[in-house]
């Protein structure tokens, strides 16, 4: 039997380790994307690679990271002082810019690891056909360097040969190297805290409560699922296009609830497409994990136990479970948002009083790169732009906020203007973009980039044609727009594009608003 007080103590101990890892990674990184936007995640895993605890970082990283840890365990025999690096989306990763570091924790000379610590960070360039590595490629080989599980650290010494291979294939090698070193350092802190924990409480107690926490979360999730009426609930929604063919990409789900178990079936979704919006299985799992975790009324440990009662069917070769050599950079950031939308949409037919209207449904990715003539070096910049949150059953949505599978910050204007040859000309809430209803959807954002010199700009966005849906009679949110202003002439850009801009050009991103909830009550005229 376990002690519930000790369970809560270990829950906080484990999660605090992950949070401290995140602080170290943030403080020691070089890139604005990691340091300012906090585009990273940290988590702790048991000896099987099952997630025990996570920090409050990015949903799209966290549930999928367990697959990377398991791939590392399967591929390599790790010793104390080793660390494994990988980013291959077809070996547990999400897309190539997300680089994962996995480090085993051994205790007192034991031959097998007791735990693993891991972190995942989005690097602003990993090579490929355009600066920023976030473009509408047609195969993964165009998206950047693909790293299978390999040892970046051996016996506490960085493997310079592997590091050189990575940095020789990117546009900003120094930044990449030091961001990877920051990731290594974060895991070392995680190992040290685990050692202190085991010395204080005992290794057996730590292992025991890592298992008990997963069991506890599994029981809570079962009770949540049991509260949903039995039945089958289906929903479909669309990505505007894949960036190659001008036709919508369908995401369909059928959720079957039976007692305290659920099956989530994506059969009927589009086959994998020519553009980069293909999602790998790890991304789809993360989306389902996130949605069902949101249904829990209260705070429970987010770990692998949450998924024990949930089965997922994602047909191989579909846009939600793509095969090699599909391009996948947009699948992690755009298709993930639509997967969330359809799973929430299906659940709204069963428990509408618990489900919000659709949020902006896109991460509005922008990558900028080129040669900075003033500083005499190449630069790459990446960020996602927030939008409107969908209205909730009992309150309005929130304006200008990252939602669902992203949880990053904006890059401060001061950081941009200090580091890059462009500036933010305008940054404001986009008026009247949220859907109307009894409760209104949150408004999106207008963010304008003015360039001081020529550069290459890639945009991966969506919800420019298919609007975020309202629920229970609420109106849809407004679709987004991408606009190029060049020599006082405006030109509408596609949702997914790469263009070259000149000095004085402005790229204006107008992000979607959230959907409304409920019919607006008529006001009585006295």
């Amino acid at each position: 039997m376990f002690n519930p007080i000790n369970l809560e103590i270990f829950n906080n101990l484990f999660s605090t380790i992950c949070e401290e890892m995140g602080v170290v990674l943030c403080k020691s990184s070089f890139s604005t994307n990691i340091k300012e936007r906090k585009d990273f995640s940290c988590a702790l895993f048991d000896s099987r690679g099952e997630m025990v605890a996570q920090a409050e970082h990015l949903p799209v990283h966290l549930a999928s990271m367990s697959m990377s840890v398991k791939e590392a365990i399967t591929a390599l025999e790790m010793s104390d002082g080793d660390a494994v690096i990988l980013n291959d989306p077809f070996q547990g990763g999400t897309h190539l810019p997300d680089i994962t570091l996995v480090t085993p924790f051994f205790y007192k000379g034991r031959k097998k690891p007791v735990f693993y610590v891991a972190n995942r960070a989005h690097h602003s360039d990993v090579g490929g056909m355009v600066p920023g590595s976030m473009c509408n490629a047609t195969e993964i080989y165009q998206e950047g360097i693909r790293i299978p599980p390999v040892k970046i650290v051996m016996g506490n010494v960085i493997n310079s040969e592997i590091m050189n291979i990575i940095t020789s294939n990117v546009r900003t090698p120094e930044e990449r190297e030091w961001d990877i070193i920051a990731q290594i350092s974060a895991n070392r802190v995680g190992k040290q805290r685990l050692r202190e924990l085991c010395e204080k409480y005992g290794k057996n107690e730590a292992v025991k409560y890592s298992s008990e926490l997963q069991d506890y979360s599994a029981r809570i999730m079962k009770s949540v699922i049991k509260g949903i009426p039995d039945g089958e609930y289906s929903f479909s929604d669309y990505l505007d296009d894949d960036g190659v063919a001008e036709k919508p990409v369908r995401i369909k789900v059928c959720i079957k609830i039976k007692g305290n178990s659920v099956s989530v079936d994506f059969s009927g979704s589009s086959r994998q497409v020519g553009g980069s919006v293909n999602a790998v299985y790890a991304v789809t799992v993360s989306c389902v994990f996130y949605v069902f975790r949101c249904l829990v009324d209260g705070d429970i440990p987010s770990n692998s136990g949450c998924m024990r009662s949930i089965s997922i069917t994602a047909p191989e070769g579909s846009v939600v479970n793509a095969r090699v050599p599909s391009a996948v950079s947009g699948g992690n950031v755009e298709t993930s948002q639509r997967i969330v939308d359809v799973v929430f949409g299906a659940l709204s037919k069963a428990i509408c009083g618990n489900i919000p209207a659709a949020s902006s449904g896109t991460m509005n990715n922008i990558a900028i790169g080129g040669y900075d003539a003033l500083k005499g070096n190449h630069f790459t910049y990446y960020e996602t732009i927030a939008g409107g949150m969908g209205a909730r059953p009992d309150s309005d949505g929130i304006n200008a906020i990252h939602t669902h599978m992203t949880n990053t910050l904006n890059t401060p204007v001061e950081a941009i203007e200090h580091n890059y040859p462009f500036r933010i000309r305008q940054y404001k809430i986009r008026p009247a973009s949220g859907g109307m209803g009894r409760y209104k959807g949150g408004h999106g954002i207008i963010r304008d980039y003015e360039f001081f010199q020529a550069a290459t700009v890639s945009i991966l966005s969506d919800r420019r044609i298919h609007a975020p849906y309202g629920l229970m009679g609420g109106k849809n949110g407004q679709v987004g727009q991408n606009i190029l202003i060049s020599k006082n002439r405006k030109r509408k850009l596609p949702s997914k594009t790469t263009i070259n801009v000149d000095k004085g050009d402005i790229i204006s991103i107008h992000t979607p608003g959230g959907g409304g909830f409920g019919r607006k009550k008529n006001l009585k005229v006295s």
Side-chain angles (χ1 to χ4, degrees), residues 31 62 95 133 147 179 199 207 223 256 289 324 326 367 508 518:
S31 65
L62 289 163
H95 64 176
S133 312
I147 310 168
D179 278 351
E199 288 172 354
V207 171
S223 69
K256 297 179 182 179
F289 178 100
V324 178
S326 299
S508 183

Side-chain angles (χ1 to χ4, degrees), residues 195-504:
R195 185 170 293 107
E196 293 166 359
L197 186 152
C198 289
E199 288 172 354
K200 182 174 181 178
Y201 296 97
K203 186 268 294 183
N204 291 339
E205 283 291 284
V207 171
K208 172 186 173 182
Y209 280 98
S210 71
S211 178
E212 293 289 356
L213 280 166
Q214 294 177 64
D215 293 342
Y216 173 73
S217 295
R219 291 194 298 272
I220 296 295
M221 186 58 70
K222 280 186 177 182
S223 69
V224 170
I225 294 169
K226 194 172 183 178
I228 304 173
D230 284 1
E232 296 187 12
Y233 309 99
S234 296
F235 197 86
S236 295
D237 202 349
Y238 296 85
L239 294 165
D240 295 339
D241 54 57
D242 69 344
V244 175
E246 293 184 2
K247 61 180 182 180
V249 180
R250 187 187 195 199
I251 310 293
K252 179 184 178 182
V253 71
C254 178
I255 297 176
K256 297 179 182 179
I257 306 290
K258 186 175 182 180
N260 57 16
S261 63
V262 57
S263 67
V264 183
D265 188 352
F266 290 95
S267 297
S269 298
S270 294
R271 300 295 296 171
Q272 63 188 49
V273 292
S276 69
V277 299
N278 302 292
V280 294
Y281 183 70
V283 170
T284 300
V285 171
S286 279
C287 297
V288 174
F289 178 100
Y290 164 77
V291 169
F292 279 89
R293 174 63 184 80
C294 287
L295 299 182
V296 180
D297 185 14
D299 190 24
I300 67 165
S302 290
N303 55 47
S304 293
C306 294
M307 292 296 290
R308 289 182 187 171
S309 299
I310 304 170
S311 64
I312 300 173
T313 301
E316 190 175 356
S318 70
V319 73
V320 294
N321 187 8
R323 289 191 294 241
V324 178
S326 299
V328 297
S329 59
N332 180 58
V333 290
E334 296 302 299
T335 308
S336 64
Q337 298 287 62
R338 196 64 68 256
I339 293 171
V340 168
D341 287 342
V342 300
V343 176
F344 270 132
L347 288 171
S348 73
K349 298 180 179 181
I351 47 172
C352 192
N354 296 63
I355 304 298
S359 294
S360 58
T362 171
M363 295 192 197
N364 303 291
N365 306 265
I366 184 166
I368 303 168
Y371 183 78
D372 188 337
L374 185 62
K375 293 184 177 180
N377 57 23
H378 289 275
F379 72 94
T380 56
Y381 174 79
Y382 168 76
E383 76 168 320
T384 60
I385 308 172
M389 178 183 180
R392 293 158 286 183
D394 58 357
S395 57
D396 294 341
I398 301 172
N399 299 331
I401 188 171
H402 285 283
T403 53
H404 296 326
M405 299 310 289
T406 178
N407 188 33
T408 58
L409 303 178
N410 71 173
T411 306
V413 172
E414 296 82 358
I416 290 174
E417 295 184 354
H418 177 73
N419 290 291
Y420 302 101
F422 54 89
R423 68 178 177 180
I424 302 301
R425 178 73 174 269
Q426 178 180 212
Y427 188 33
K428 68 178 185 179
I429 292 175
R430 183 186 176 199
S433 55
M436 298 301 293
R438 182 177 183 183
Y439 297 106
K440 296 180 292 185
H443 299 315
I445 281 176
I446 298 175
R447 191 159 167 93
D448 291 357
Y449 302 78
E450 182 180 10
F451 297 92
F452 299 147
Q453 62 177 54
T456 300
V457 179
S458 294
I459 300 171
L460 276 178
S461 61
D462 209 79
R463 291 293 198 199
R464 270 52 180 172
I465 298 173
H466 297 272
Y469 59 77
L471 284 180
M472 297 298 289
K475 301 299 183 181
N476 293 344
Q478 293 294 311
V479 297
Q481 296 183 70
N482 306 324
I483 301 168
L484 171 63
I485 304 170
S486 180
K487 297 179 181 178
N488 296 318
R489 296 182 61 183
K490 292 185 178 181
R491 176 163 64 94
K492 189 175 180 180
L493 298 173
S495 62
K496 302 162 186 70
T497 188
T498 296
I499 62 169
N500 294 319
V501 295
D502 295 320
K503 180 180 180 180

Side-chain angles (χ1 to χ4, degrees), residues 80-225:
D80 197 10
D82 292 349
V84 174
I85 190 170
L86 69 153
N87 74 343
D88 189 347
F90 302 102
Q91 290 186 275
T94 50
H95 64 176
L96 296 182
D98 283 346
I99 294 180
T100 303
L101 258 291
V102 181
T103 304
F105 168 69
F106 293 81
Y107 188 65
K108 291 188 175 179
R110 285 174 170 78
K111 294 182 179 181
K112 294 184 178 180
V114 180
F115 294 104
Y116 294 87
V117 288
N119 67 70
R120 175 173 289 168
H122 184 115
H123 289 247
S124 57
D125 186 84
V126 289
M129 60 193 290
V130 298
S133 312
M134 292 289 291
C135 62
N136 201 43
T138 56
E139 56 182 2
I140 195 168
Y141 311 116
Q142 299 170 331
E143 295 185 312
I145 184 169
R146 188 170 157 204
I147 310 168
V150 292
K151 292 183 181 181
I152 188 67
V153 179
M154 299 178 67
N156 293 314
V157 177
I158 292 176
N159 187 334
S160 59
E161 294 177 352
I162 296 298
M163 185 71 83
N164 287 339
I165 290 173
I166 296 170
T167 56
S168 295
N169 283 277
V170 302
R171 295 173 178 85
T172 47
E174 183 180 18
E175 188 176 89
R176 297 288 66 73
E177 179 174 1
W178 286 105
D179 278 351
I180 290 171
I181 291 172
Q183 290 184 261
I184 295 168
S185 301
N187 281 5
R188 284 180 174 172
V189 169
K191 282 177 58 179
Q192 177 61 29
R193 296 296 177 260
L194 279 172
R195 185 170 293 107
E196 293 166 359
L197 186 152
C198 289
E199 288 172 354
K200 182 174 181 178
Y201 296 97
K203 186 268 294 183
N204 291 339
E205 283 291 284
V207 171
K208 172 186 173 182
Y209 280 98
S210 71
S211 178
E212 293 289 356
L213 280 166
Q214 294 177 64
D215 293 342
Y216 173 73
S217 295
R219 291 194 298 272
I220 296 295
M221 186 58 70
K222 280 186 177 182
S223 69
V224 170
I225 294 169

